[in-house]
């Protein structure tokens, strides 16, 4: 969940390192640091944001042709300068993303040999272990390989040595890392966005890879030292795609990019195209044909997308669906079934818990696997038999928005593909659903026009400490997503319930100071939901209702209604999440929190 950048070039790399960290700050922003070789090893660290590190670099007029840099999300040790990376061991500097599970035993052994530790991190153990390896293996590249072979856990690391000014070493296992092939040098980073400033040519490293970077070349070897070739890709991203433009925050930008993101994700059905198993991979028809049930594994926002999909797949494709939190799935005894389609969802494709859950499912003999992901070259995509790549574009804000709605679009297509191959979808029904999907970007754009009214509601929320979200059916997960968004960026405690559960406990919390947000589409459960809302009003609770036209919920004292432009049938959850995203965003603005970088969180969760 940290971000690392490595650079070796013919020009000054300090601006490249700092700009790379700025682009990676969504991955962690507890502290930041860099180390460069400019005659001698020089390290700068700050217990704060990248801007503070940049100020230190400006003050010191730092310049060098080789360096490593890091922005941290704290795992071992509190956020502080002493725990900030890089960590040093007698002329060696190391940056690290991930968690070393056996660092305590390594640390104890090194301390017994006289090494002194000055931080609380697991990373410092890597630096000292590498130094110890160099005593018997003087080649830096080989010493790094031997060091990584002793590490248990996840890592992406960058290494500098004071007596090796012409090369930097990087390695990865479990945590993302890619190389950048530039005209003036070679680079490495946790994310393509950090390297777009210098190159669009990238090389995705595989688990266990080590790479040596020189100014005009690079080489990659496997964990056992065998040389290997990795393909150079031309990234489709542009530097403009990760800039704010006219927006105040990335979250706001990404909320308003949703019509385009949905249009891009659904491009294959535009212009009269139909849904086909081949949209999920060449073997999809064969794999789907034998599927008897579906298991969805995900975390956080992606888990909510899977929860919505359960309603869709069971209702239309008539297949039983289980949705599991990925971090829990592999730690319980489950009953495997080889005829299960295992669907894993991740925006980044590097989510550690989801990747581990996928590997566990495969170890149980469940090989019918599908990834729904926003990053084509990610680890999760490489681990599955099938994949569907959402085309949301880069999502920088920690609170996911467009990734979520494009995941829902992918699940809508998957539902129709499964139903079609099982003979449970007539041609008329398919065309009706496809028409709704094609119109979805326009429908979302209409919902975004409600922003001024939602911003007024947010003014009333800013002073609250707690909120309840209610929904029924496929809109219950949308209520869960709305509560998560409010918690993430405004720090208002929020919980979501299936509305029928209100009287089974949560109603005890309702009073005039507890706002209750209800998702109220005009569907078959509306009358039941209205009864639940009456229960809230009878206890003095204040209601904020996102209602479809025709819901016939009257506005009155203590009952605030915002009417959605249209009821959208099966796809209604996609539309109803938009105002919840906007409500959270504007509540956070009023409170003055850091919208894109909420405290204690990071975007890409690469640690367990």
């Amino acid at each position: 969940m940290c971000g690392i950048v490595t650079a070796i070039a013919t020009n000054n790399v300090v601006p490249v390192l700092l700009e790379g960290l700025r682009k990676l700050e969504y991955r962690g922003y507890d502290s930041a640091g860099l180390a460069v070789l400019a005659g001698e090893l020089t390290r700068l660290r700050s217990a704060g944001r990248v801007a503070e590190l940049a100020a230190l670099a400006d003050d010191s007029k730092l310049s060098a042709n080789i360096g490593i840099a890091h922005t941290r999300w704290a795992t071992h040790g509190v956020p502080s300068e002493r725990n900030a990376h890089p960590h040093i061991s007698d002329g060696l500097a190391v940056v690290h993303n991930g968690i070393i599970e056996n660092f305590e035993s390594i640390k104890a052994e090194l301390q017994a040999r006289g090494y002194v530790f000055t931080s609380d991190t697991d990373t410092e153990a890597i630096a000292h272990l590498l130094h110890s390896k160099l005593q018997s293996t003087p080649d830096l590249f080989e010493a790094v390989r031997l060091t990584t072979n002793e590490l248990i856990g996840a890592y992406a690391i960058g290494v500098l040595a004071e007596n090796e000014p012409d090369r930097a070493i990087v390695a990865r296992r479990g945590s993302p890392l890619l190389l950048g092939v530039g005209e003036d040098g070679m680079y490495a980073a946790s994310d393509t966005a950090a390297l777009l400033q210098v190159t669009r040519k990238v090389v995705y490293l595989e688990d266990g890879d080590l790479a040596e970077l020189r100014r005009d070349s690079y080489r990659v070897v496997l964990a056992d030292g065998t040389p290997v070739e990795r393909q150079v890709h031309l990234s489709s991203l542009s530097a403009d795609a990760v800039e704010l433009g006219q927006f105040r925050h990335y979250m706001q930008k990404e909320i308003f990019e949703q019509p385009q993101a949905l249009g891009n994700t659904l491009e294959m059905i535009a212009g009269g195209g139909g849904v086909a198993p081949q949209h999920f991979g060449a073997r999809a028809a064969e794999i789907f044909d034998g599927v008897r049930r579906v298991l969805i594994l995900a975390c956080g926002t992606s888990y909510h997308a899977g929860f919505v999909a359960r309603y869709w797949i069971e209702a239309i494709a008539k297949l039983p669906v289980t949705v599991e939190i990925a971090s829990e799935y592999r730690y319980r005894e489950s009953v495997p079934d080889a005829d299960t389609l295992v669907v894993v969802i991740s925006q980044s494709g590097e989510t550690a818990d989801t990747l581990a859950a996928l590997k566990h499912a495969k170890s149980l003999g469940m090989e019918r696997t599908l990834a729904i992901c926003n990053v084509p070259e990610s680890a999760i995509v490489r681990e599955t038999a099938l994949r569907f790549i959402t085309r949301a574009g880069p999502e920088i804000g920690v609170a996911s928005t467009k990734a979520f709605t494009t995941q829902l679009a992918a699940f809508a297509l998957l539902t129709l593909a499964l139903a079609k191959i099982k003979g449970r979808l007539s041609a008329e029904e398919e065309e009706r659903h496809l028409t709704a999907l094609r119109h979805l970007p326009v429908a979302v754009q209409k919902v975004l026009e409600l922003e001024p009214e939602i911003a007024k509601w947010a003014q009333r929320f800013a002073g609250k400490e707690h909120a309840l979200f209610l929904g029924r059916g496929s809109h219950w997960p949308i209520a869960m997503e709305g509560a998560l968004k409010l918690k993430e960026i405004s720090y208002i405690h929020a919980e979501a319930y299936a509305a029928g559960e209100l009287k089974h406990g949560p109603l005890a919390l309702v009073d005039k100071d507890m706002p209750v947000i209800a998702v109220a589409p005009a569907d078959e459960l509306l009358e039941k939901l209205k009864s639940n809302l009456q229960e809230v009003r009878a206890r003095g609770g204040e209601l904020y209702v996102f209602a479809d036209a025709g819901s016939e919920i009257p506005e009155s004292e203590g009952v605030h209604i915002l009417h959605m432009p249209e009821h959208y049938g099966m796809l209604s959850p996609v539309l109803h999440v938009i105002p919840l995203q906007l409500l959270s965003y504007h509540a956070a603005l009023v409170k003055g929190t850091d919208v894109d970088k909420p405290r204690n969180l990071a975007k890409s969760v690469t640690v367990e």
Side-chain angles (χ1 to χ4, degrees):
M1 292 165 69
C2 307
I4 69 175
V5 186
T6 299
I8 177 169
T10 57
N11 51 359
N12 180 18
V13 300
V14 174
V16 175
L17 295 173
L18 291 169
E19 181 59 24
L21 290 188
R22 290 187 186 98
K23 291 297 187 289
L24 295 178
E25 202 168 16
Y26 70 90
R27 303 178 69 92
Y29 30 90
D30 294 333
S31 59
L34 60 80
V36 298
L37 298 179
E40 61 182 10
L41 183 64
T42 301
R43 175 177 64 169
L44 295 178
R45 299 186 293 176
S46 66
R49 299 293 174 86
V50 172
E52 297 174 42
L53 178 67
L56 290 175
D58 287 342
D59 290 344
S60 63
K61 296 181 171 53
L62 198 61
S63 178
N65 300 120
I66 181 173
I68 56 178
H70 187 273
T71 181
R72 182 174 185 246
W73 185 83
T75 56
H76 296 75
V78 299
S80 65
E81 184 177 336
R82 68 187 292 270
N83 288 325
H85 299 211
H87 289 284
I88 287 179
S89 182
D90 191 20
L92 293 171
V94 175
V95 292
H96 164 230
N97 171 25
I99 288 181
I100 304 305
E101 296 174 5
N102 62 332
F103 91 97
E104 289 181 332
S105 61
I106 293 173
K107 180 177 180 178
E109 180 181 340
L110 291 168
Q111 285 177 320
R113 294 165 57 186
Y115 284 90
V116 176
F117 284 72
T118 60
S119 78
D120 305 311
T121 69
D122 53 343
T123 305
E124 191 176 6
I126 302 175
H128 290 319
L129 180 61
L130 174 57
H131 181 271
S132 73
K133 295 295 181 188
L134 281 169
Q135 308 315 301
S136 56
T137 307
D139 179 69
L140 179 65
F141 192 65
E142 179 63 9
V144 172
R145 189 184 72 82
L146 294 175
T147 298
T148 56
N149 284 345
E150 291 191 21
L151 303 179
I152 298 173
Y155 59 79
I157 62 174
V159 177
L160 289 186
E162 191 169 44
N163 62 350
E164 298 259 12
D166 296 322
R167 63 174 174 169
I169 313 299
V170 298
R172 71 151 292 192
R173 182 180 299 280
S175 294
L177 190 67
L178 52 90
L179 308 183
V181 181
E183 293 183 3
D184 299 316
M186 296 294 161
Y187 310 87
S190 302
D191 190 314
T192 309
L195 301 183
L196 292 175
Q197 56 176 316
V198 288
T199 185
R200 290 174 55 206
K201 294 180 180 178
V202 296
V203 177
Y204 296 98
L205 297 181
E206 301 281 351
D207 264 5
D209 282 358
L210 291 88
E212 176 190 76
L213 305 183
R214 295 185 180 271
R215 287 177 178 81
D216 57 359
S217 64
Y218 68 92
R219 65 183 175 110
V220 182
V221 304
L222 302 177
D224 63 2
T226 304
V228 64
E229 294 291 328
R230 297 290 182 220
Q231 184 178 355
V232 177
H233 300 264
L234 185 65
S235 173
S236 60
L237 294 179
S238 67
D240 290 342
V242 292
E243 297 296 336
L244 269 175
Q246 63 180 339
F247 296 97
R248 292 180 62 181
H249 300 93
Y250 280 106
M251 183 178 181
Q252 183 188 32
K253 176 177 184 275
E254 288 153 13
I255 288 172
F256 278 84
E257 286 176 339
Q258 287 176 110
Q260 184 65 52
L262 286 164
N264 291 342
T265 298
L266 296 168
E267 185 178 33
M268 75 287 293
I269 63 166
V275 67
Q278 287 72 27
H279 295 149
F280 298 88
R283 296 180 54 218
E286 166 203 344
I287 290 173
F288 288 173
D289 186 54
V291 166
R292 296 192 305 169
R293 53 181 46 84
V294 178
L295 170 63
I296 298 173
L297 302 170
C299 301
T301 286
S302 296
Y303 172 73
H304 297 156
F307 216 149
V308 174
R310 183 182 73 172
Y311 287 91
W312 292 349
I313 294 170
E314 291 195 343
I316 297 173
K318 307 300 182 186
L319 290 170
V321 179
T322 302
V323 187
E324 297 243 14
I325 297 172
S327 58
E328 290 293 320
Y329 168 69
R330 69 189 179 109
Y331 293 116
R332 70 173 185 83
E333 292 291 333
S334 59
V335 181
D337 183 344
D339 294 330
T340 297
L341 177 64
V342 179
V343 184
V344 287
I345 326 164
S346 169
Q347 188 281 137
S348 67
E350 305 287 350
T351 308
D353 288 317
T354 306
L355 184 58
L358 169 64
K359 291 179 178 178
H360 177 65
K362 291 171 66 176
S363 74
L364 297 177
M366 294 190 285
E367 296 290 340
R368 301 175 189 267
T369 55
L370 164 66
I372 294 176
C373 183
N374 195 39
V375 181
E377 298 294 337
S378 61
I380 282 176
V381 169
R382 294 195 298 268
E383 287 280 344
T384 53
L386 305 174
R387 74 271 314 154
F388 185 95
I389 305 303
T390 57
R391 295 174 60 193
E395 189 179 65
I396 306 300
V398 167
S400 181
T401 52
K402 61 178 180 174
F404 177 70
T405 49
T406 53
Q407 286 170 355
L408 291 179
F411 270 123
L413 292 174
L414 176 62
T415 298
L416 299 181
L418 289 171
K420 190 173 182 179
I421 208 162
K422 297 296 183 183
R424 294 161 186 163
L425 186 72
S426 69
E428 294 78 11
E429 289 172 323
E430 179 184 2
E431 188 53 41
R432 176 169 54 83
H433 287 302
L434 289 174
T435 298
L437 281 166
R438 293 178 189 125
H439 182 64
L440 188 57
V442 175
V444 168
Q445 186 62 52
K446 291 180 181 177
V447 178
L448 289 169
E449 294 170 6
L450 299 173
E451 184 185 26
E453 297 173 64
I454 297 168
K456 292 176 183 176
W457 278 16
Q459 294 283 342
R460 308 173 72 126
F461 274 79
K464 304 297 183 181
E465 295 183 0
H466 309 277
L468 286 179
F469 285 70
L470 302 178
R472 298 203 73 143
S474 61
H475 293 79
W476 171 29
I478 297 304
M480 295 166 66
E481 176 63 12
L484 177 60
K485 287 290 159 286
L486 194 66
K487 282 183 281 196
E488 282 181 308
I489 61 169
S490 75
Y491 315 146
I492 296 171
H493 172 244
E495 298 297 335
Y497 291 91
E501 284 292 289
L502 191 64
K503 55 187 171 293
H504 295 288
L507 196 57
L509 298 172
V510 171
D511 60 20
K512 62 182 178 59
D513 296 319
M514 174 75 80
V516 178
I517 301 94
V519 182
D523 59 14
E524 67 278 2
L525 292 172
L526 179 60
E527 294 306 317
K528 297 290 186 185
L529 179 64
K530 287 181 180 179
S531 297
N532 304 137
L533 302 186
Q534 288 298 325
E535 295 165 1
V536 172
R537 286 301 299 137
R539 274 75 182 177
E542 191 166 13
L543 283 164
Y544 295 82
V545 184
F546 293 96
D548 285 343
S551 62
E552 298 180 355
I553 302 175
E555 187 153 3
S556 61
E557 184 179 355
V559 181
H560 312 283
I561 308 295
L562 191 145
H563 288 288
M564 301 286 285
E566 56 186 312
H567 177 54
Y568 219 66
M570 181 188 94
L571 296 173
S572 174
V574 182
L575 268 62
H576 271 275
V577 79
I578 307 298
L580 300 183
Q581 295 170 348
L582 288 168
L583 180 66
S584 299
Y585 173 70
H586 283 283
L589 285 187
V590 175
K591 291 197 69 175
T593 61
D594 192 333
V595 173
D596 288 332
K597 302 179 181 69
R599 67 189 183 202
N600 304 333
L601 301 179
K603 181 70 175 177
S604 183
V605 186
T606 58
V607 298
E608 188 177 350

